[in-house]
Amino acid sequence: MKIPVGILGAGMVGQQYMALLKNHPWFEVRYIAASPRSAGKKFSEAVAGRCHFGGIAEVFGNIIVADANDVSKAAAASKAGDCAFVFCGLEMPNDELKILEASYAAAGIPVISNASAHRWTADVPVVVAEVNHSHLDIIPAQRKAHGWDKGFITVKPNCSIQSYTTPVYALMQAGYEVKRLIVTTLQAVSGAGYPGVPSLDIIDNIVPYIGGEEEKSETEPLKILGSIENGVFKKADQPKISAHCNRVPVTDGHTACVSIEFGAQKPSIAEIKKIWTEFRSLPQELELPMAPVRPIIVRDETDRPQPRKDRDADKGMAVTVGRIRPCNVFDIRFTGLSHNTIRGAAGGGVLNAELLKHKGYLG
Amino acid sequence: MKIPVGILGAGMVGQQYMALLKNHPWFEVRYIAASPRSAGKKFSEAVAGRCHFGGIAEVFGNIIVADANDVSKAAAASKAGDCAFVFCGLEMPNDELKILEASYAAAGIPVISNASAHRWTADVPVVVAEVNHSHLDIIPAQRKAHGWDKGFITVKPNCSIQSYTTPVYALMQAGYEVKRLIVTTLQAVSGAGYPGVPSLDIIDNIVPYIGGEEEKSETEPLKILGSIENGVFKKADQPKISAHCNRVPVTDGHTACVSIEFGAQKPSIAEIKKIWTEFRSLPQELELPMAPVRPIIVRDETDRPQPRKDRDADKGMAVTVGRIRPCNVFDIRFTGLSHNTIRGAAGGGVLNAELLKHKGYLG
Amino acid sequence: MKIPVGILGAGMVGQQYMALLKNHPWFEVRYIAASPRSAGKKFSEAVAGRCHFGGIAEVFGNIIVADANDVSKAAAASKAGDCAFVFCGLEMPNDELKILEASYAAAGIPVISNASAHRWTADVPVVVAEVNHSHLDIIPAQRKAHGWDKGFITVKPNCSIQSYTTPVYALMQAGYEVKRLIVTTLQAVSGAGYPGVPSLDIIDNIVPYIGGEEEKSETEPLKILGSIENGVFKKADQPKISAHCNRVPVTDGHTACVSIEFGAQKPSIAEIKKIWTEFRSLPQELELPMAPVRPIIVRDETDRPQPRKDRDADKGMAVTVGRIRPCNVFDIRFTGLSHNTIRGAAGGGVLNAELLKHKGYLG
Amino acid sequence: MKIPVGILGAGMVGQQYMALLKNHPWFEVRYIAASPRSAGKKFSEAVAGRCHFGGIAEVFGNIIVADANDVSKAAAASKAGDCAFVFCGLEMPNDELKILEASYAAAGIPVISNASAHRWTADVPVVVAEVNHSHLDIIPAQRKAHGWDKGFITVKPNCSIQSYTTPVYALMQAGYEVKRLIVTTLQAVSGAGYPGVPSLDIIDNIVPYIGGEEEKSETEPLKILGSIENGVFKKADQPKISAHCNRVPVTDGHTACVSIEFGAQKPSIAEIKKIWTEFRSLPQELELPMAPVRPIIVRDETDRPQPRKDRDADKGMAVTVGRIRPCNVFDIRFTGLSHNTIRGAAGGGVLNAELLKHKGYLG
């Protein structure tokens, strides 16, 4: 018996969730809700002409799309055994979405969200499964504070940080203080959703700006690396991060060029490679279905990682790093790459759901 | 009466020179020399099927290409009044080219080179016209040391540094110590010449490595910002530079994301914009034909500079900067952009030639 | 004294008009009208963040944008000597635009339109200046039929047909019957306006469909090649055209692969090249400012025309053809290319305006 | 016990074969031979820096590469049970390769070739498995004519024709005469191998010419659709084909826009869809491992097929067709798409090998 799952959103993110869940061993999509203009239609009709993933219309096409604003529909589906929790990929203003996601939680429906609305809510965990799985244990406190019974809210961080946050964490966990990072990202157009970036803006071009992305890149890792105190999150003090975020003519895969300054203890290049190659975390120990076997893949070629060659590594869930070398200004530098819509979005969400199920929060 | 000019090389760089010199008010291309396999052919035949610039085959097509290895041919052309000096865009191993360029100089033919062969020769100036035009005054010492009469060698730096070296210099000249830079470049494929980067490597992709480029980016600015002592160049001590160089799917225009650490005195963002906007140098004072009116163009839009929109600013000779903002780790950061085959290659060479003519070194 | 011109539309097409008219010897933009949400703002503010052409914000930035739906504003501007006629680049439903353009004409303001609204209105000429300039002489009949005094409407055809219509016409004019054409177009993304084609649809991809484009490609040439009978246009009977229209990852420049079947008389390849090379028409005789010197440029290289290398030929106004060779199924085949937003849109409109001025319809 | 296989060539095609054979149920790569400069090295070293497929260096990296010109090496491997037959993906002049492939056959080693060298050899079959599998039965006659014992040569056709040859054949097989085709192809850069098309030629550009491709496109289908008479192939008389071949900025997947003229009997659009949807051939009946379940996939969306969305359909082995509609000039038109390096190259070769094994020619 698989756990019945709802998807909020029929755009790129919602569809990516469906694509990843088509054959999932634990979860089964039984409920889809989206904007009012899609509501009432069969999913196949709602996405006609903007279906981005092969096979999902065939598998989920007959599900009647509900109105995502109508939480009572989801509650009824939950009662009927069709929606134990939801993945949220809705695109709406943060202030509205904040309220809506809380309504789902209040209605007893856990929300695993891709949106940024609740990332800075004091008791909502922002989770990268291999880094801060322990943050999920704030859920009892969160439930209690809000008077929620079974519902809760967890979110995943911005896609732009996932190409370096896990590698940086692995070094910290190995005992090295990471004081400062200067990061330049080269981000794929799929990060902007659909229709997203106009082709006239990006063919033969670079756009050196993505609204809000640098702020998220500089602050979200500090929550992820932070601690729980009195039922709320406390940001870590470091590393200090400076991010330059660029949009590049690449479909999928965010590349990050990173310079790191360590504390007094500085690992050698060889040690760093060893730490990253051997890094494993709870999702790997549990052999969760969506977990990459090796969360960090170290490549020794001079010219890797590259988006087209490395983004799909281990189902799109591994972070590939390369060009690990001394930095002329800080201590070391490297290039990291991850699949922004899988590792950085829906795949990360599914992995978090697997963790939540393991920890017993899903039913 | 225009000064007769020779071009060494019939590839991308040589052709770019011809394109820029088609209607030059001071210089006239009258001599072309290239590899042995082109020698003896009309220029139009030599470049059939690989002519990258409109109009040059029409204007220069009937010139019979000489063998660039045969310096006596150039010497004869010089004597005949057809080649007062040469622009060198040859592609050959640095050790061979070093000797060849010196042979031209020894034969009385000044060499203004795009190649990297002589960039670290102790008495050869690496010149960005607006930054270190004074370095050209090493020429008498250079001539004397080598026993050269009229010949000499000057070179231009790597294209990767031109999107930030002039802005950084302008800040230093305004009295601010620049201690450290971390730079990530997003470099156009034309920087690799022709055929250069295979399309299979760059469509929907990023290549996070360009052989030798990071080393050049980190060291050449120090020679440019250095001083002349006892007839040779002495590198500046700072700024310390760390460069991450990437190849991106853009035809022309190198983008650089730069974080700067100043000394104790730190300019405000407003001051920096003022310094850059008002920056002028000798080429502007002299109103040299190839000189941009404003060497640095500051754009205030949130999303500029962009290669396709800004590379051609002021004949491709201006550096466009934008996104000037505080850096979370260092002091400030910005994005710079310049046209790599014009400002960063042939256009920079022509501007240097104009300076040399003004200073009386060309005849 | 230049003729004062109005531009309807502040999107890509309207901006392209402004870019072409910045330094026009006869026309001067003094009136800009656009959608209600732009109305009342300075042009520079109205296009902030979506200004596609360098320099136009600087030149026209202070013009206060009017509401294009408010024809009385334009009439007042006309009376004040600021708007002798308008170029229309509005994007709105055809039925609404049809009425709006007629209102301008009724108000005494000639409309030279880029839109498709009136292309099949019986007495509105669809003009490619070098092909059917004589069609402009329907204007007196058009005015009379509608009771318009000084106003009238002329339009330009779809951009997709401009890479082959003039070459085909030149052959017909030389006495060769052209019976059938099979055409495949590879169309640039700028043809879809801005934001237009999402980058996710076109990076590393081809879209083999453009809504309505094939129908336009197959029928509009027949009106252009048709005749005037009793004050309305009568379509030509041939050539029969079959069009396959594709969107490709190119910014500007529509490529067309064309196979032609002639009547009994069949020109040789050499004759075709001669006819095309020597083709001149009224705009060339009059040396109109926007007219290309040679409307058709024949290239003999095996691999031309190419969008990036040939689209800007003669200010973007020439059609470049190449690969003229026998067809294995029909008689001959060739590849044609033209700049879709210049020759195929605003540039064609300006050239038509120049013709109209010459013919005395604009004042 | 798997059949041991040799691969001739370590470039793109050879590597693509290895990628497809990594987990093949019948075949196992045990021998690799390539150019003299790779010979003697481990495969992983021979392809360092130009390995295009993930995992092949890991699986085949320790195989010592032989010199492909040294047939005796292959003969020894054959004797040792390491090379029952070879897939040939060598790139060398056709006249040399013709002799070399014949030498392998003479040495008792069947050659299944991707090269064009033997495509017009009178007794060598050019095979698209679903179309002319019966042509493989020329092998006994071929062996006899050349005095070959176990060796033979079969080839696969040019990649450019595979997006329409099977659909056209399916219509002929259903009883409809296909008289003429006009085809325009939009071909991916991987068709040119590696390094292949320079990025400067294809970013923001189209190249309307591919050397030799149109001739191959027009003639090879006639051999494939031909018959065997007296031990040699006789070309079919029709369809007459005219091909316009273009290179486009797409990594993989050749698109073809096709107009078809039938004989007197003309199928309806509905019949065509039915014929294509139901088309099955010997590889499907035999359920060969590499055979697509449905050789032709009909899509009803208005804007399909598209390279990025459809090239990987059914392991990259299906041809996807769409936009089936009446032609304004001929009878019908459609767009076809296939993966040029899988269906059109190595995948087609593997499928042919599977057929050959089934027919008993490989052991």
Side-chain angles (χ1 to χ4, degrees):
Chain A
M1 269 291 288
K2 293 187 183 179
I3 299 177
V5 172
I7 308 280
L8 307 185
M12 281 273 296
V13 176
Q15 291 182 31
Q16 176 70 270
Y17 270 112
M18 295 178 212
L20 294 175
L21 294 173
K22 262 190 311 181
N23 302 303
H24 196 277
W26 298 354
F27 304 135
E28 182 183 352
V29 177
R30 299 245 288 266
Y31 183 77
I32 300 174
S35 67
R37 87 172 170 280
S38 294
K41 296 183 192 164
K42 289 166 81 172
F43 173 68
S44 57
E45 289 157 14
V47 296
R50 51 185 196 95
C51 188
H52 303 286
F53 298 91
I56 61 172
E58 287 77 354
V59 176
F60 306 114
N62 287 326
I63 296 180
I64 304 296
V65 177
D67 180 347
N69 295 304
D70 186 351
V71 181
S72 71
K73 279 272 169 63
S78 173
K79 211 157 284 173
D82 283 339
C83 180
F85 69 97
V86 293
F87 290 109
C88 177
L90 292 171
E91 286 164 37
M92 54 169 71
N94 269 353
D95 50 351
E96 295 176 30
L97 189 54
K98 241 170 136 163
I99 296 168
L100 185 61
E101 291 186 336
S103 304
Y104 276 86
I109 302 170
V111 177
I112 297 170
S113 181
N114 267 44
S116 59
H118 274 294
R119 287 197 196 135
W120 289 101
T121 302
D123 59 0
V124 168
V126 180
V127 179
V128 174
E130 284 87 352
V131 174
N132 61 332
H133 44 80
S134 66
H135 283 191
L136 295 173
D137 297 322
I138 202 170
I139 288 173
Q142 188 196 87
R143 282 173 168 165
K144 194 171 163 198
H146 297 269
W148 295 338
D149 174 21
K150 296 191 312 179
F152 60 81
I153 299 172
T154 71
V155 304
K156 59 110 230 155
N158 200 263
C159 55
S160 63
I161 70 166
Q162 315 235 11
S163 302
Y164 54 91
T165 299
T166 305
V168 165
Y169 167 73
L171 298 175
M172 293 168 69
Q173 195 202 32
Y176 294 99
E177 186 189 1
V178 175
K179 297 183 69 172
R180 304 201 290 180
L181 294 184
I182 291 184
V183 180
T184 298
T185 61
L186 293 78
Q187 299 188 211
V189 295
S190 60
Y194 186 85
V197 182
S199 53
L200 271 175
D201 283 345
I202 207 71
I203 293 178
D204 190 15
N205 206 22
I206 298 294
V207 180
Y209 175 73
I210 304 172
E213 207 81 353
E214 297 182 347
E215 295 73 9
K216 293 173 188 170
S217 302
E218 291 167 356
T219 56
E220 292 183 8
L222 298 178
K223 181 164 181 183
I224 295 168
L225 299 171
S227 53
I228 303 176
E229 291 189 15
N230 304 320
V232 297
F233 287 100
K234 185 164 175 297
K235 281 200 298 183
D237 294 327
Q238 54 177 35
K240 250 187 176 318
I241 301 174
S242 172
H244 300 249
C245 293
N246 300 279
R247 191 70 74 192
V248 296
V250 165
T251 55
D252 292 307
H254 287 355
T255 303
C257 299
V258 186
S259 281
I260 296 183
E261 184 183 52
F262 290 107
Q265 287 280 85
K266 295 173 194 304
S268 69
I269 300 295
E271 268 174 288
I272 292 171
K273 289 188 183 184
K274 189 168 184 298
I275 291 166
W276 284 347
T277 302
E278 296 179 354
F279 178 74
R280 299 292 183 279
S281 181
L282 185 58
Q284 284 72 41
E285 286 163 34
L286 300 173
E287 296 184 5
L288 298 177
M290 198 71 200
V293 176
R294 292 175 294 160
I296 304 171
I297 295 175
V298 175
R299 299 211 65 115
D300 286 317
E301 297 92 331
T302 53
D303 61 353
R304 298 288 279 272
Q306 294 177 18
R308 213 175 66 235
K309 295 184 179 169
D310 295 304
R311 60 193 171 203
D312 292 324
D314 209 334
K315 310 176 293 288
M317 287 298 288
V319 175
T320 303
V321 297
R323 304 212 66 224
I324 310 162
R325 60 204 194 285
C327 180
N328 220 18
V329 165
F330 281 171
D331 294 309
I332 67 122
R333 47 188 164 169
F334 71 96
T335 302
L337 181 131
S338 64
H339 195 301
N340 55 300
T341 71
I342 301 181
R343 175 80 248 188
V350 171
L351 183 55
N352 287 350
E354 293 169 356
L355 263 181
L356 286 160
K357 188 208 164 253
H358 168 81
K359 286 173 177 262
Y361 292 118
L362 290 183
Chain B
M1 269 289 290
K2 291 188 182 177
I3 299 177
V5 172
I7 308 280
L8 306 185
M12 282 274 294
V13 177
Q15 290 181 31
Q16 177 69 270
Y17 269 112
M18 295 178 214
L20 294 175
L21 294 173
K22 262 191 308 182
N23 302 304
H24 196 278
W26 299 354
F27 304 135
E28 182 182 352
V29 176
R30 297 245 290 266
Y31 182 78
I32 300 173
S35 70
R37 85 173 172 280
S38 294
K41 295 182 192 164
K42 288 166 84 172
F43 173 69
S44 57
E45 289 157 14
V47 295
R50 51 185 195 94
C51 187
H52 302 287
F53 297 90
I56 61 172
E58 288 75 356
V59 176
F60 306 114
N62 287 324
I63 295 181
I64 303 297
V65 177
D67 180 346
N69 295 302
D70 186 350
V71 182
S72 71
K73 279 273 169 61
S78 173
K79 212 156 285 172
D82 283 341
C83 181
F85 69 95
V86 293
F87 290 110
C88 177
L90 292 171
E91 287 165 35
M92 54 169 71
N94 270 353
D95 50 350
E96 294 176 30
L97 190 53
K98 241 170 137 162
I99 295 169
L100 185 62
E101 291 186 336
S103 303
Y104 276 85
I109 302 170
V111 177
I112 298 170
S113 181
N114 267 45
S116 60
H118 275 293
R119 287 195 198 137
W120 289 100
T121 301
D123 58 2
V124 169
V126 180
V127 178
V128 174
E130 284 87 353
V131 174
N132 63 331
H133 45 80
S134 66
H135 282 191
L136 295 173
D137 296 323
I138 202 171
I139 289 174
Q142 188 195 88
R143 282 173 169 165
K144 193 170 163 200
H146 297 270
W148 296 338
D149 175 20
K150 298 190 310 179
F152 61 81
I153 300 171
T154 71
V155 304
K156 59 110 231 156
N158 200 264
C159 53
S160 63
I161 69 166
Q162 315 237 9
S163 302
Y164 54 92
T165 299
T166 304
V168 165
Y169 167 74
L171 298 175
M172 293 169 67
Q173 197 203 28
Y176 294 100
E177 187 189 0
V178 175
K179 295 182 71 172
R180 303 200 292 179
L181 296 183
I182 290 184
V183 181
T184 298
T185 61
L186 292 77
Q187 301 188 209
V189 296
S190 61
Y194 187 86
V197 181
S199 52
L200 271 175
D201 282 346
I202 207 71
I203 293 177
D204 190 15
N205 206 23
I206 299 292
V207 180
Y209 175 71
I210 304 173
E213 208 80 352
E214 296 181 347
E215 294 75 7
K216 292 174 189 170
S217 301
E218 292 167 356
T219 56
E220 292 184 8
L222 299 178
K223 183 167 180 181
I224 294 168
L225 298 171
S227 53
I228 304 177
E229 291 190 14
N230 303 320
V232 297
F233 288 99
K234 186 165 175 295
K235 283 200 296 183
D237 292 329
Q238 56 177 33
K240 249 186 175 319
I241 301 173
S242 172
H244 300 249
C245 294
N246 299 280
R247 191 71 75 191
V248 297
V250 165
T251 55
D252 292 307
H254 286 357
T255 303
C257 299
V258 186
S259 280
I260 296 184
E261 184 183 52
F262 291 108
Q265 287 280 84
K266 294 173 197 301
S268 69
I269 300 295
E271 267 174 288
I272 291 171
K273 288 188 183 183
K274 189 167 183 298
I275 290 165
W276 284 347
T277 301
E278 296 179 355
F279 177 73
R280 300 290 183 278
S281 181
L282 186 56
Q284 285 70 42
E285 287 164 33
L286 300 174
E287 296 186 3
L288 297 177
M290 198 71 201
V293 175
R294 292 176 293 159
I296 304 171
I297 295 175
V298 175
R299 298 209 66 113
D300 285 319
E301 297 93 331
T302 53
D303 62 353
R304 299 286 280 273
Q306 295 178 17
R308 214 176 65 234
K309 295 184 179 169
D310 295 303
R311 61 191 169 204
D312 292 324
D314 209 335
K315 310 177 294 287
M317 288 297 289
V319 175
T320 303
V321 298
R323 304 213 66 225
I324 309 164
R325 60 204 194 284
C327 180
N328 219 19
V329 165
F330 281 171
D331 295 307
I332 67 122
R333 47 189 162 168
F334 71 97
T335 302
L337 180 129
S338 63
H339 195 301
N340 56 300
T341 71
I342 300 181
R343 175 81 248 189
V350 171
L351 183 55
N352 287 349
E354 293 170 354
L355 262 182
L356 286 161
K357 188 208 164 252
H358 168 80
K359 286 174 176 260
Y361 291 119
L362 288 184
Chain C
M1 268 291 288
K2 293 188 183 178
I3 299 177
V5 172
I7 308 280
L8 306 184
M12 281 273 297
V13 177
Q15 291 182 30
Q16 177 69 269
Y17 269 112
M18 296 178 211
L20 293 174
L21 294 173
K22 260 190 312 180
N23 301 303
H24 195 277
W26 300 354
F27 304 135
E28 183 182 352
V29 177
R30 299 245 289 264
Y31 182 78
I32 300 174
S35 69
R37 86 171 171 280
S38 294
K41 295 182 192 163
K42 289 165 84 172
F43 173 69
S44 57
E45 288 156 16
V47 295
R50 51 184 196 94
C51 188
H52 301 288
F53 297 91
I56 61 173
E58 287 76 355
V59 176
F60 306 114
N62 287 325
I63 295 181
I64 303 296
V65 178
D67 180 347
N69 295 303
D70 187 350
V71 181
S72 71
K73 279 273 169 63
S78 173
K79 212 157 284 173
D82 283 340
C83 181
F85 69 97
V86 293
F87 290 109
C88 177
L90 292 171
E91 287 165 35
M92 54 169 71
N94 270 351
D95 50 351
E96 295 176 29
L97 189 54
K98 242 170 136 161
I99 295 169
L100 184 60
E101 291 186 335
S103 305
Y104 276 86
I109 302 170
V111 177
I112 298 171
S113 180
N114 266 45
S116 60
H118 275 293
R119 287 197 197 136
W120 289 101
T121 302
D123 58 2
V124 168
V126 180
V127 179
V128 174
E130 284 87 353
V131 174
N132 63 332
H133 45 79
S134 66
H135 282 191
L136 295 174
D137 296 322
I138 202 169
I139 289 173
Q142 188 196 89
R143 282 174 169 164
K144 193 170 163 199
H146 297 270
W148 296 338
D149 175 18
K150 297 191 312 179
F152 61 82
I153 300 172
T154 71
V155 305
K156 59 110 231 156
N158 199 264
C159 55
S160 64
I161 70 166
Q162 315 237 12
S163 302
Y164 54 92
T165 299
T166 306
V168 165
Y169 168 73
L171 297 174
M172 295 169 67
Q173 196 204 31
Y176 294 99
E177 187 190 359
V178 175
K179 297 183 70 172
R180 304 201 290 180
L181 295 184
I182 291 185
V183 180
T184 298
T185 61
L186 292 78
Q187 300 187 210
V189 295
S190 60
Y194 187 86
V197 181
S199 53
L200 271 176
D201 283 346
I202 208 70
I203 292 178
D204 190 15
N205 205 22
I206 299 292
V207 180
Y209 175 72
I210 304 173
E213 206 81 352
E214 297 181 347
E215 296 73 8
K216 293 174 190 170
S217 301
E218 291 167 357
T219 56
E220 293 184 7
L222 298 177
K223 182 166 181 183
I224 294 168
L225 298 170
S227 53
I228 305 176
E229 290 188 17
N230 303 320
V232 298
F233 287 99
K234 187 166 174 295
K235 279 201 299 182
D237 293 327
Q238 55 177 34
K240 250 185 174 319
I241 301 173
S242 172
H244 301 249
C245 294
N246 300 279
R247 192 70 73 192
V248 296
V250 165
T251 54
D252 292 306
H254 286 357
T255 303
C257 299
V258 186
S259 281
I260 296 183
E261 184 183 51
F262 292 107
Q265 286 280 85
K266 294 173 195 305
S268 69
I269 299 295
E271 269 174 287
I272 291 170
K273 289 189 182 181
K274 190 167 182 299
I275 290 166
W276 284 348
T277 301
E278 295 180 355
F279 178 74
R280 300 290 182 279
S281 182
L282 186 56
Q284 285 70 42
E285 286 163 33
L286 300 174
E287 296 185 2
L288 297 176
M290 199 69 200
V293 177
R294 293 175 294 160
I296 305 171
I297 295 175
V298 175
R299 299 211 64 116
D300 286 319
E301 297 92 330
T302 54
D303 61 353
R304 300 287 280 271
Q306 294 177 19
R308 214 176 64 234
K309 294 183 180 170
D310 295 304
R311 61 192 171 204
D312 293 323
D314 209 335
K315 311 177 292 290
M317 287 298 287
V319 175
T320 303
V321 297
R323 302 213 67 223
I324 310 162
R325 59 205 195 283
C327 179
N328 219 19
V329 164
F330 281 172
D331 294 309
I332 66 121
R333 48 188 160 167
F334 72 96
T335 302
L337 181 130
S338 64
H339 195 300
N340 56 301
T341 71
I342 301 181
R343 175 80 247 189
V350 171
L351 183 56
N352 288 349
E354 292 170 355
L355 262 180
L356 286 160
K357 189 214 163 242
H358 168 80
K359 285 173 177 263
Y361 292 119
L362 289 183
Chain D
M1 268 290 289
K2 293 189 184 177
I3 299 177
V5 171
I7 308 280
L8 307 185
M12 281 273 295
V13 176
Q15 291 181 31
Q16 176 69 271
Y17 269 112
M18 295 179 213
L20 294 174
L21 294 173
K22 261 191 311 183
N23 302 304
H24 196 278
W26 299 355
F27 304 135
E28 182 183 352
V29 177
R30 299 246 286 266
Y31 182 78
I32 299 173
S35 68
R37 85 173 171 279
S38 294
K41 296 182 192 164
K42 290 166 83 171
F43 173 69
S44 57
E45 289 157 14
V47 295
R50 51 186 196 95
C51 188
H52 302 287
F53 298 91
I56 61 172
E58 287 76 356
V59 176
F60 306 115
N62 287 325
I63 296 181
I64 304 296
V65 177
D67 179 347
N69 294 303
D70 186 351
V71 181
S72 72
K73 280 272 169 62
S78 173
K79 211 156 285 172
D82 284 339
C83 181
F85 69 96
V86 292
F87 291 110
C88 177
L90 292 171
E91 288 164 36
M92 54 168 73
N94 269 353
D95 50 351
E96 293 176 29
L97 189 54
K98 241 169 137 163
I99 295 169
L100 184 62
E101 292 186 336
S103 303
Y104 276 86
I109 302 170
V111 176
I112 297 170
S113 181
N114 267 45
S116 60
H118 275 293
R119 286 193 199 139
W120 289 100
T121 302
D123 59 1
V124 169
V126 179
V127 179
V128 174
E130 283 87 353
V131 175
N132 62 333
H133 45 79
S134 68
H135 282 191
L136 295 173
D137 297 323
I138 202 170
I139 289 173
Q142 187 196 87
R143 281 173 169 165
K144 193 170 161 200
H146 297 270
W148 296 338
D149 175 19
K150 299 191 307 180
F152 60 81
I153 299 172
T154 72
V155 304
K156 59 108 230 156
N158 200 263
C159 54
S160 63
I161 70 167
Q162 315 237 11
S163 301
Y164 54 93
T165 299
T166 304
V168 165
Y169 168 74
L171 298 175
M172 294 169 67
Q173 197 203 31
Y176 294 100
E177 188 190 359
V178 175
K179 295 182 70 174
R180 303 200 291 180
L181 296 183
I182 291 184
V183 181
T184 298
T185 61
L186 292 77
Q187 300 188 210
V189 295
S190 61
Y194 187 85
V197 181
S199 54
L200 271 175
D201 282 347
I202 208 71
I203 293 177
D204 190 15
N205 206 22
I206 299 292
V207 181
Y209 175 71
I210 305 173
E213 207 81 351
E214 297 182 348
E215 295 75 8
K216 293 174 188 170
S217 300
E218 292 168 356
T219 56
E220 293 183 7
L222 299 178
K223 183 168 181 180
I224 294 168
L225 298 170
S227 54
I228 303 176
E229 290 190 15
N230 303 319
V232 297
F233 287 99
K234 187 166 174 295
K235 282 200 296 184
D237 292 328
Q238 56 178 33
K240 248 186 177 320
I241 301 173
S242 172
H244 300 248
C245 294
N246 299 280
R247 191 70 73 191
V248 297
V250 165
T251 55
D252 291 308
H254 286 357
T255 303
C257 298
V258 187
S259 281
I260 296 183
E261 184 183 51
F262 291 108
Q265 287 279 87
K266 296 172 194 305
S268 69
I269 301 294
E271 269 174 286
I272 291 170
K273 289 188 182 181
K274 189 167 184 297
I275 290 166
W276 284 346
T277 301
E278 295 179 355
F279 177 75
R280 300 290 184 277
S281 182
L282 186 56
Q284 285 70 42
E285 288 163 33
L286 299 174
E287 297 185 3
L288 298 177
M290 197 72 200
V293 176
R294 293 176 294 159
I296 304 171
I297 295 174
V298 175
R299 299 211 65 116
D300 286 318
E301 297 92 331
T302 54
D303 62 352
R304 300 287 279 270
Q306 295 177 16
R308 213 174 67 232
K309 295 184 178 168
D310 295 304
R311 61 191 170 204
D312 292 325
D314 209 335
K315 309 176 294 287
M317 287 299 287
V319 175
T320 302
V321 298
R323 305 214 64 225
I324 309 164
R325 60 205 194 282
C327 180
N328 219 19
V329 166
F330 281 171
D331 294 308
I332 65 121
R333 48 188 161 167
F334 71 97
T335 302
L337 180 129
S338 64
H339 195 301
N340 55 301
T341 70
I342 301 180
R343 175 79 248 188
V350 171
L351 183 56
N352 287 350
E354 293 170 356
L355 262 181
L356 286 161
K357 187 207 166 253
H358 168 80
K359 285 174 176 260
Y361 292 119
L362 289 184

